[in-house]
């Protein structure tokens, strides 16, 4: 009987791509993959260690599997990912039930890690993080019709609040020809939507080619047959060029959606974050994006309660959000991360104040979303079907305006044949519910 291996992958979609590469190597080595890690002989927890809430989720998940091990339901636990890379041996000391704790540099050698734990050895290894595989086979863990294309690893921006550079190392791009080959392979397996990702997607190619090559990469991806949607995520404001905007505007396959994490609009706060720009430059950029790309959806992320943020600076941010009216927005209270420059700054804000300010921003955004959703009523939109909700007795999916996992859904009914996941249909919007929309199929021949 082959040994059963299951994996729980936590955190971002970049970590998910790492998980898919490990799963491919595990299957190639003859292990049996199981979808539910609780039913496996060996459970691999691919952790996130970015901010405090992610660390807590990782630790709670590991402890759940430690209980399963005590009960004899699983035999071995392997901990990989950012938490393991960040805290190394401390993770095993905290959770001695773990049989292996390995850093990012071991991802490419995950089969060797499995061999060690099967030999009843406790295995701790933290090879050079820069040896993390950035290419290679993948076992797709998303729905069959969409996937992520990770164009680079690591980050060299060194924002003062962020531990990613110390965890994942310097920014390094994947050669363009390898990315195009990977994209063609994914499309050949049925992927219709590619989501282009990196810690800073707009920096793609600078280390290899001396300048950003994201526009050229997108043009090459657009040449792939049977690929319908290309979405660009993680675009840093200071690197959004006219050339990039022109490519997004002209290429039909690139959805008119840009993720633009600005984090704040106050110039002093941004400088303390080690980020360029200020309110005037951000307003100018957003106006330019909307002028160059009609119908564009702009998603952003914000941080409230960064050290020294005054009530006045927060109010400036709140007014900025109210005025700019982002199409999608996530706001998070500042997380004080050890090892970062921001954690050592004077003027740390009370945690409750941080959370309260984030709540205010999200309440404002809910009002903005309600207004934007009301403008969608009676309109017909193209939706990619994701599945069927048995409780709501309806189908659900996304428009171009909604990225997988992070944005809203369209819930819709069909009087005709049943649309399958990956099917693009026309849906007439009839109602709204918080961040989601409700509709009915208008024409099932939308492809």
């Amino acid at each position: 009987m082959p040994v059963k291996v299951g994996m729980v992958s936590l955190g971002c979609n970049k970590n998910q791509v790492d998980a898919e590469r490990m799963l491919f190597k595990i299957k190639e080595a003859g292990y049996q993959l199981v979808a539910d890690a609780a039913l496996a002989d060996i459970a691999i927890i691919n952790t996130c260690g970015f901010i405090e809430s992610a660390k807590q989720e990782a630790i709670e998940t590991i402890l759940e599997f430690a209980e399963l091990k005590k009960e004899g339901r699983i035999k071995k636990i392997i901990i990989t990912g950012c938490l393991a890379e960040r805290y190394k041996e401390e993770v095993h000391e905290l959770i001695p039930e773990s049989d292996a704790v390995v850093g990012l540099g071991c991802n490419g050698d995950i089969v060797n890690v499995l061999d060690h734990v099967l030999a009843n050895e406790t295995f701790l290894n933290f090879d050079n993080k820069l040896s993390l595989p950035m290419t290679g086979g993948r076992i797709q863990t998303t729905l069959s019709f969409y996937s992520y294309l990770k164009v680079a690893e690591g980050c060299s921006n060194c924002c003062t609040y962020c531990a990613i550079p110390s965890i994942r190392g310097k920014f390094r791009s994947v050669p363009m020809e390898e990315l195009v080959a990977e994209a063609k392979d994914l499309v050949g397996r049925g992927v219709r939507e590619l989501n282009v990702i990196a810690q800073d997607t707009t920096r793609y190619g600078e280390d290899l080619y001396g300048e950003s090559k994201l526009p050229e990469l997108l043009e090459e991806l657009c040449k792939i047959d049977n690929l319908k949607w290309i979405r660009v995520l993680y675009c840093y404001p200071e690197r959004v060029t006219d050339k990039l905007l022109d490519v997004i505007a002209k290429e039909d396959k690139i959805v008119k959606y840009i993720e633009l994490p600005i984090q704040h609009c106050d110039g002093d706060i941004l400088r303390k974050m080690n980020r360029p720009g200020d309110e005037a430059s951000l307003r100018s950029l957003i106006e330019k994006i909307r002028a160059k790309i009609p119908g564009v959806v702009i998603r952003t992320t914000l941080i409230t309660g960064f050290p020294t943020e005054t009530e006045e600076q927060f109010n400036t941010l709140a007014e900025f959000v109210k005025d700019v009216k982002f199409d999608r927005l996530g706001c998070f209270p500042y997380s004080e991360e050890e090892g970062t420059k921001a954690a050592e700054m004077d003027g740390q804000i009370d945690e409750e104040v941080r959370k309260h300010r984030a709540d205010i921003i999200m309440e404002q955004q809910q009002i903005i979303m309600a207004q934007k959703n009301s403008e969608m009523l009676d309109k017909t939109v193209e939706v990619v079907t994701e599945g069927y909700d048995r409780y709501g007795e309806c189908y659900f999916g996304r428009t171009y305006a909604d990225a997988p996992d992070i944005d809203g859904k369209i819930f819709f009914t069909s009087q005709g044949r049943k649309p399958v996941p990956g099917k693009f249909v026309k849906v007439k919007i009839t109602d709204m519910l918080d961040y989601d929309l409700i509709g009915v199929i208008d024409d099932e021949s939308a492809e």
Side-chain angles (χ1 to χ4, degrees), residues 302 304 314-326 329 331 356-372 435:
L302 302 172
T304 54
F314 168 70
N315 288 337
T316 297
L317 177 64
E319 285 300 315
F320 178 79
V321 169
K322 192 183 297 184
D323 189 38
V324 170
K325 293 182 170 56
F326 289 99
L329 183 148
C331 186
H356 179 62
R357 290 176 180 177
D359 288 342
I360 290 172
I361 297 289
M362 290 310 298
E363 286 169 6
Q364 282 187 188
Q365 184 62 20
Q366 195 159 14
I367 295 170
I368 292 169
M369 285 299 300
Q371 178 186 341
K372 288 181 177 287
Y435 291 98

Side-chain angles (χ1 to χ4, degrees), residues 30-31 33 132 141 196 203 210 241 301 359 364 412 428:
Y31 289 93
L33 297 180
L132 170 74
T141 58
V196 178
R203 196 167 190 157
T241 62
T301 51
D359 288 342
Q364 282 187 188
F412 59 94
K428 184 176 182 180

Side-chain angles (χ1 to χ4, degrees), residues 233-384:
L233 303 174
Y234 304 103
C235 297
Y236 272 58
E238 64 270 22
R239 294 193 179 91
V240 174
T241 62
D242 287 347
K243 186 176 182 180
L244 175 61
L245 296 178
D246 289 341
V247 169
I248 293 173
K250 78 175 184 181
E251 294 287 357
D252 291 338
K253 288 185 179 180
I254 303 177
V255 297
K256 311 316 173 195
Y257 179 112
I258 296 180
E259 184 179 28
L260 194 75
I262 66 169
Q263 310 308 355
H264 213 284
C265 72
D266 180 83
D268 287 338
I269 293 294
L270 287 169
R271 278 187 287 279
K272 289 175 182 176
M273 290 179 169
N274 195 35
R275 297 175 67 97
D278 53 23
E279 182 176 353
S281 64
L282 289 169
R283 284 183 182 274
S284 176
L285 174 61
I286 292 164
E287 288 172 7
K288 180 195 288 187
I289 293 172
R290 286 174 168 164
K292 278 183 170 286
I293 311 173
V296 69
V297 168
I298 301 178
R299 179 180 221 285
T300 198
T301 51
L302 302 172
I303 296 172
T304 54
F306 187 81
T308 75
E309 182 190 55
T310 64
E311 193 74 28
E312 182 182 359
Q313 288 169 322
F314 168 70
N315 288 337
T316 297
L317 177 64
E319 285 300 315
F320 178 79
V321 169
K322 192 183 297 184
D323 189 38
V324 170
K325 293 182 170 56
F326 289 99
D327 303 279
R328 306 286 184 265
L329 183 148
C331 186
F332 306 93
Y334 165 70
S335 178
E336 193 174 329
E337 295 300 313
E338 68 269 31
T340 62
K341 290 183 178 179
E344 304 300 321
M345 289 180 180
D346 294 332
Q348 299 289 329
I349 306 297
D350 182 79
E351 194 168 334
E352 287 304 312
V353 174
R354 302 176 202 174
K355 291 179 179 178
H356 179 62
R357 290 176 180 177
D359 288 342
I360 290 172
I361 297 289
M362 290 310 298
E363 286 169 6
Q364 282 187 188
Q365 184 62 20
Q366 195 159 14
I367 295 170
I368 292 169
M369 285 299 300
Q371 178 186 341
K372 288 181 177 287
N373 280 346
S374 68
E375 293 169 1
M376 296 298 296
L377 294 177
D378 294 325
K379 291 185 178 179
T380 297
V381 294
E382 187 174 38
V383 174
V384 60

